[in-house]
């Protein structure tokens, strides 16, 4: 074969390989479906989740949960079939719609369930009954027999079985729960032991009652403060573009001053110890005590010297980092400024936390209901300890609970990933649209439509892999070291998917699969590692300060509004509820802000890598980021001019250096 052809073929292969590894980013140009097999797999998984719900309904688990069942396996409110080997099963309970516990206070703290015998009755006792004669009268008048089915109501007072098969006296008044037809005592004091097991910090039941009363009396204030936290979070997302510079530089100044102050104090303590630490004014001390004190003083002085030296080294390194990273701090401020503009142009971004929370809430309610259905689904099994009938999943069916648990994680992550992809798609559209006046009417809706049409498979794959990499990072590092040097595409993809927002942003830009997008985002972020570190450190702290600001402002308003209540113990629970809710709201809103900043940085890094501002390669970036780039270029040109001048001075000095004697020509 011709060697020239061989060389040309090899060159073409090298070019193709370079093209694959160094593929150019083409924002918003091409759009195609990504990770379609994963979308099909996720669809099949969701069908399996729905099948579990259908199975529990078809086998009677849902009916047993809602209507309740007695200790013999009979479902209340309907006709039942005989269970082999179980006496008093297969009864017709059409007229008996409520579950009644003979001893409702007999609670298993560990298993969190009532161990008492349960019966189906037609009416819950509305008044307290103190004698078996009262039980007989209630059965004869209302037709609701509160003792076991084999006992006749008119014979209750004289039966010897009444002590074990009738309710424990006195029978407290009760009423049925709405939806779940269980007779519940009106006085819940018998549940104090259970409450103390759950809420361990409550030692006095009156304290719990006072706290609950405080919440009930302050419910309007609590609702108003929660709305205040919501409003403050939305306002902060808009004005953070104006206060970010102040916050960042105040933070920087506080860190530097704190380090300098700490180092100075340590050196002052060391010098003070050297000057006055060895003073032994008491001459009456024994020689051993003096030597012991001198040894301790020497050790303390050495320890202070080590602390002061370490603090000095840390302060010097910190000052050098601040000096070299000041430009990157300016980039963080510029990104926060642009992120504020994004929320002004895309106001519907503020609704994303509401939509995501509503979707998660609906799914979690469904998941909990199906889990409860699974708890009453299965084959009837007699409890060896109590002799009561329970329904349990046996054999392969017991793995349905594990499948359901995996569904909780995967689908929750899928919902969160949909939010991230939606936000990333809207921000990418904003950034790579040169004329902001020509943005789509609703960029958020356009991003949602692109997600549903093209990228549900990527979101499904990303959410599944992210659930897998929630294992401690040490295990990932161990896997990385074990696989170093091995060409394992799945392992490389797994390690790169620790980046979630940038991966979804890369998919929104280039319409690539999840692993390809994670790889591309990983390369871009590694090339800008120092900038990423600065943005993560300073940006995260600024957002944390924003959360603290919202919580403290809401708590302060709560103290002012609750001031009229002189019982200060009643403040505790309302303030805790308000503070938790305000932090949750602030976290939800500022996490959207964090996603916007991360996506903007990725777009900025791509923009500066492939464009330089020349005709045909104009930047897409905002004016604030453009000013940052221009200032960086001016600084680089000034540094380059300084270097060239130094080189010129050095070269001129070399030329003017006199020649050594004896080297001139005759």
């Amino acid at each position: 074969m011709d060697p020239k052809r061989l060389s040309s073929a090899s060159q073409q292969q090298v070019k193709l390989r370079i093209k694959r590894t160094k593929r150019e980013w083409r924002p918003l140009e091409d759009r195609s479906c990504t990770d379609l097999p994963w979308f099909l797999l996720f669809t099949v998984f969701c069908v399996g989740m729905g099948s579990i719900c259908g199975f529990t309904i078809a086998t009677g688990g849902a009916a047993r949960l809602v209507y309740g069942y007695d200790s013999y396996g009979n479902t209340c409110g309907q006709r039942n079939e005989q269970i082999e080997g179980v006496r008093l099963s297969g009864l017709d309970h059409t007229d008996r719609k409520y579950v009644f516990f003979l001893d409702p206070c007999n609670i298993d703290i560990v298993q969190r369930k009532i161990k008492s015998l349960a019966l189906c009755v037609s009416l819950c006792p509305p008044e307290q009954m103190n004698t078996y004669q009262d039980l007989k009268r209630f059965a004869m008048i209302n037709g609701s027999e509160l003792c076991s089915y084999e006992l006749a109501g008119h014979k209750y007072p004289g039966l010897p079985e009444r002590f074990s098969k009738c309710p424990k006296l006195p029978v407290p008044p009760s009423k049925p729960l709405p939806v779940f037809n269980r007779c519940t005592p009106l006085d819940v004091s018998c549940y104090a032991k259970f409450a103390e097991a759950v809420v361990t910090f409550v030692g006095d039941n009156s304290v719990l009652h006072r706290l609950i009363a405080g919440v009930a009396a302050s419910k309007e204030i609590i609702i108003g403060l929660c709305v205040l936290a919501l409003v403050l979070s939305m306002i902060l997302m808009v004005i953070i573009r104006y206060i970010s510079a102040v916050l960042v530089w105040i933070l920087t100044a506080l860190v530097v001053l704190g380090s300098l102050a700490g180092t100075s104090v340590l050196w002052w303590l060391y010098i003070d110890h050297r000057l006055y630490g060895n003073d032994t004014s008491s001459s009456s001390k024994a020689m051993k005590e003096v030597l012991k004190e001198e040894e301790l003083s020497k050790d303390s002085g050495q320890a202070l010297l080590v602390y002061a030296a370490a603090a000095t080294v840390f302060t010097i390194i910190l000052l050098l980092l601040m000096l070299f990273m000041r430009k990157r701090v300016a980039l963080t401020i510029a990104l926060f400024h642009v992120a504020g503009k994004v929320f002004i142009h895309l106001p519907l971004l503020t609704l994303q936390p509401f939509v995501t929370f509503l979707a998660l809430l609906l799914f979690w309610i469904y998941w909990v209901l199906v889990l409860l259905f699974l708890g009453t689904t299965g084959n009837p099994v007699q409890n060896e300890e109590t002799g009561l009938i329970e329904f349990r999943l046996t054999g392969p069916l017991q793995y349905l609970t594990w499948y359901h648990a995996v569904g909780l994680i995967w689908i929750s992550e899928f919902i969160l990933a949909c939010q991230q992809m939606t936000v990333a798609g809207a921000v990418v559209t904003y950034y790579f649209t040169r004329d902001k006046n020509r943005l789509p009417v609703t960029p958020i809706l356009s991003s949602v439509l692109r997600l549903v049409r093209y990228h549900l498979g990527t979101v499904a794959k990303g959410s599944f892999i992210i659930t897998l990499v929630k294992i401690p990072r040490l295990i990932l590092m161990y896997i990385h070291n074990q696989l170093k040097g091995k060409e394992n595409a799945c392992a490389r993809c797994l390690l790169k998917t620790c980046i979630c927002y940038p991966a979804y942003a890369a998919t929104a830009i280039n319409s690539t699969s999840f692993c390809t997008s994670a790889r591309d985002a990983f390369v871009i972020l590694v090339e800008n590692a120092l900038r990423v570190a600065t943005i993560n450190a300073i940006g995260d702290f600024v957002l944390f300060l924003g959360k603290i600001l919202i919580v403290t402002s809401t708590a302060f308003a709560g103290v002012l509004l609750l001031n009229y209540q002189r019982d200060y113990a009643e403040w505790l629970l309302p303030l805790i509820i308000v503070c938790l809710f305000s932090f949750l709201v602030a976290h939800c809103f500022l996490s959207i802000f964090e996603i916007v900043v991360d996506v903007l940085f990725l777009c900025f890094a791509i923009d500066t890598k492939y464009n330089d501002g020349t005709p045909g390669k104009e930047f897409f970036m905002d004016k604030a980021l453009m000013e940052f780039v221009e200032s960086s270029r001016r600084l680089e040109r000034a540094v380059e001019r300084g270097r060239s001048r130094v080189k010129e001075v050095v070269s001129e000095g070399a030329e003017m250096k006199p020649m050594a004697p004896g080297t001139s020509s005759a």
Side-chain angles (χ1 to χ4, degrees):
M1 186 178 289
D2 190 357
K4 290 184 178 180
R5 291 184 178 178
L6 268 175
S7 61
S8 62
S10 60
Q11 288 177 1
Q12 288 179 357
Q13 290 178 356
V14 170
K15 288 180 180 179
L16 286 172
R17 191 175 301 170
I18 293 174
K19 188 176 181 180
R20 286 196 196 105
T21 56
K22 294 186 177 181
R23 178 183 48 76
E24 290 190 4
W25 295 68
R26 300 185 179 278
L28 307 176
E29 289 188 8
D30 300 321
R31 193 62 56 186
S32 60
C33 292
T34 55
D35 296 305
L36 185 59
W38 279 90
F39 170 69
L40 298 176
L41 177 63
F42 182 73
T43 303
V44 172
F45 183 85
C46 290
V47 170
M49 290 284 290
S51 300
I52 292 177
C53 180
F55 172 76
T56 59
I57 294 174
T59 55
R64 280 189 286 270
L65 175 69
V66 175
Y67 299 113
Y69 62 97
D70 61 18
S71 298
Y72 308 107
N74 301 299
T75 302
C76 300
Q78 65 184 40
R79 188 185 300 273
N80 298 275
E81 296 181 0
Q82 176 73 32
I83 300 175
E84 184 178 355
V86 179
R87 66 181 188 89
L88 299 178
S89 63
L91 301 179
D92 185 3
H93 284 333
T94 307
D95 297 329
R96 299 177 175 181
K97 299 180 179 180
Y98 306 107
V99 180
F100 176 75
F101 298 97
L102 300 190
D103 186 6
C105 295
N106 186 7
I107 300 172
D108 187 346
I109 299 294
V110 178
Q111 299 294 329
R112 293 180 176 86
K113 62 182 181 180
I114 299 174
K115 296 170 63 176
S116 167
L117 182 70
L119 301 173
C120 293
V121 298
S122 57
L123 182 66
C124 299
E127 298 177 354
Q128 180 170 309
M129 301 181 187
N130 299 311
T131 64
Y132 293 105
Q133 192 68 34
D134 294 338
L135 294 178
K136 172 186 174 182
R137 188 180 304 109
F138 182 75
M140 300 303 294
I141 295 175
N142 299 294
S144 182
E145 299 177 346
L146 302 182
C147 295
S148 187
Y149 304 131
E150 69 269 25
L151 303 183
H154 63 281
K155 297 181 179 180
Y156 284 168
L159 293 175
E161 298 93 341
R162 66 183 184 277
F163 299 106
S164 60
K165 295 185 179 181
C166 285
K168 182 180 179 182
L169 297 177
V171 180
S174 61
K175 65 178 180 179
L177 285 174
V179 183
F180 301 98
N181 301 317
R182 272 75 170 176
C183 294
T184 308
L186 298 178
D187 183 11
V188 295
S189 60
C190 69
Y191 297 126
K193 184 179 179 181
F194 182 71
E196 289 175 10
V198 177
V199 190
T200 54
F201 68 87
V202 178
D204 183 9
N205 197 28
S206 63
V207 175
L208 179 62
H209 288 165
R210 289 167 62 193
L211 292 176
I212 295 174
V215 173
S218 310
K219 55 182 180 297
E220 294 85 2
I221 296 177
I222 293 174
I223 295 173
L225 291 173
C226 292
V227 174
L228 175 64
L230 187 64
V231 173
L232 289 176
S233 300
M234 297 176 69
I235 293 175
L236 182 62
M237 291 175 66
V238 176
I239 67 172
I240 200 170
R241 57 178 290 198
Y242 303 107
I243 65 175
S244 58
V246 178
L247 285 177
V248 169
W249 290 120
I250 288 177
L251 167 64
T252 304
L254 288 176
V255 170
V256 172
L257 292 176
S259 301
L260 290 173
T263 305
S264 303
V265 168
L266 285 173
W267 280 114
W268 177 77
L269 289 174
Y270 172 71
I271 294 171
D272 181 73
H273 184 272
R274 287 293 302 271
L275 293 176
Y276 305 105
N278 296 325
D279 185 14
T280 57
S281 58
S282 177
S283 59
S284 61
K285 291 183 178 179
M287 183 61 65
K288 290 184 179 180
E289 293 182 359
V290 172
L291 293 175
K292 187 176 181 180
E293 287 185 2
E294 289 180 354
E295 186 177 354
L296 290 174
S297 177
K298 184 179 179 180
D299 292 340
S300 300
Q302 290 178 350
L304 283 172
L305 179 61
V306 171
Y307 296 154
T312 303
V313 172
F314 172 78
T315 303
I316 293 173
I317 294 174
L318 181 64
L319 291 174
L320 291 175
L321 285 175
M322 291 295 180
L323 178 64
F324 289 113
M325 297 177 68
R326 64 187 186 279
K327 291 192 300 181
R328 296 174 180 86
V329 172
L331 174 60
T332 305
I333 296 172
L335 285 173
F336 273 62
H337 185 79
V338 177
K341 287 186 177 180
V342 170
F343 280 95
I344 292 175
H345 284 87
L346 310 177
L348 291 180
L349 278 178
T350 57
L351 297 179
Q352 287 300 304
F354 295 107
V355 176
T356 304
F357 178 74
L358 180 61
L360 286 173
L361 182 64
L362 293 176
F363 170 68
W364 289 340
I365 292 174
Y366 164 82
W367 188 87
V368 170
L369 282 177
V370 176
L371 182 66
L372 294 175
F373 291 166
L374 285 171
T376 55
T377 301
N379 300 318
V381 178
Q382 191 169 22
N383 190 312
E384 296 179 358
E385 180 183 353
T386 61
L388 309 179
I389 297 298
E390 299 175 354
F391 290 88
R392 299 176 184 172
L393 293 170
T394 57
L397 294 178
Q398 60 185 334
Y399 296 106
L400 291 178
T401 306
W402 289 102
Y403 186 97
H404 195 59
V406 172
L408 171 67
I409 302 172
W410 191 2
I411 296 178
S412 297
E413 287 293 335
F414 178 83
I415 294 172
L416 293 173
C418 286
Q419 172 188 271
Q420 296 164 9
M421 178 69 88
T422 301
V423 174
V427 175
V428 165
T429 302
Y430 171 84
Y431 187 96
F432 288 107
T433 302
R434 297 187 188 277
D435 186 2
K436 306 306 180 189
N437 295 323
R438 300 182 62 183
L439 283 169
V441 179
T442 53
I444 297 293
L445 183 58
S446 301
S447 181
V448 171
L449 293 177
R450 283 199 304 270
L451 166 64
V452 174
R453 184 175 179 182
Y454 298 110
H455 304 310
L456 283 178
T458 297
V459 172
K461 182 178 181 180
S463 58
F464 178 76
I465 298 179
I466 288 172
T467 56
L468 296 182
V469 299
K470 282 190 171 180
I471 310 168
R473 290 179 181 268
L474 290 175
I475 299 179
L476 286 177
M477 294 299 296
Y478 173 77
I479 296 173
H480 178 67
N481 293 330
Q482 294 297 316
L483 296 174
K484 192 175 291 183
K486 299 180 182 179
E487 293 299 320
N488 190 325
C490 292
R492 290 198 304 271
C493 173
L494 181 67
L495 293 169
K496 289 169 184 173
T497 51
C498 293
I499 312 162
C500 47
Y501 312 150
Y504 295 135
T507 299
I509 294 172
N510 279 331
S511 191
T512 49
S513 64
F514 183 82
C515 284
T516 303
S517 300
R519 181 195 64 197
D520 295 342
F522 180 79
V523 171
I524 289 290
L525 295 180
V526 166
E527 292 174 353
N528 298 268
L530 287 177
R531 288 176 173 176
V532 172
T534 306
I535 292 170
N536 285 339
I538 298 177
D540 289 350
F541 193 82
V542 170
L543 294 178
F544 176 75
L545 289 179
K547 296 174 187 178
I548 297 300
L549 175 64
I550 292 172
V551 172
T552 52
S553 301
T554 308
F556 179 70
V559 170
L560 294 179
L561 293 174
L562 293 169
N563 189 39
Y564 72 92
Q565 294 181 0
R566 295 304 175 190
D567 189 353
Y568 296 108
E570 296 182 1
W571 286 22
L572 180 62
L573 199 54
L575 278 181
I576 289 176
I577 293 173
V578 167
C579 290
L580 289 176
F581 182 83
S582 59
F583 183 82
L584 177 63
V585 170
H587 176 74
C588 290
F589 276 90
L590 294 181
S591 64
I592 297 293
F593 196 93
E594 182 182 2
I595 296 173
V596 171
V597 171
D598 289 342
V599 175
L600 281 174
F601 174 72
L602 182 67
C603 296
F604 170 78
I606 296 168
D607 198 8
T608 54
K609 181 176 182 179
Y610 293 102
N611 299 310
D612 55 9
T614 59
K617 289 188 175 181
E618 295 85 358
F619 287 121
F620 289 92
M621 66 185 65
D622 187 84
K623 182 180 178 181
L625 292 174
M626 191 79 74
E627 291 175 355
F628 167 78
V629 172
E630 291 298 329
S631 63
S632 300
R633 287 181 173 180
R634 284 195 298 270
L635 183 59
E636 290 175 0
R637 286 195 293 266
V639 172
E640 190 63 30
R641 283 197 299 268
R643 289 177 180 173
S644 62
R645 287 176 182 175
V646 171
K647 289 180 180 179
E648 290 176 2
V649 171
V650 172
S651 61
E652 288 176 1
E655 291 176 359
M656 295 176 64
K657 185 178 180 181
M659 292 184 294
T663 58
S664 59
S665 59

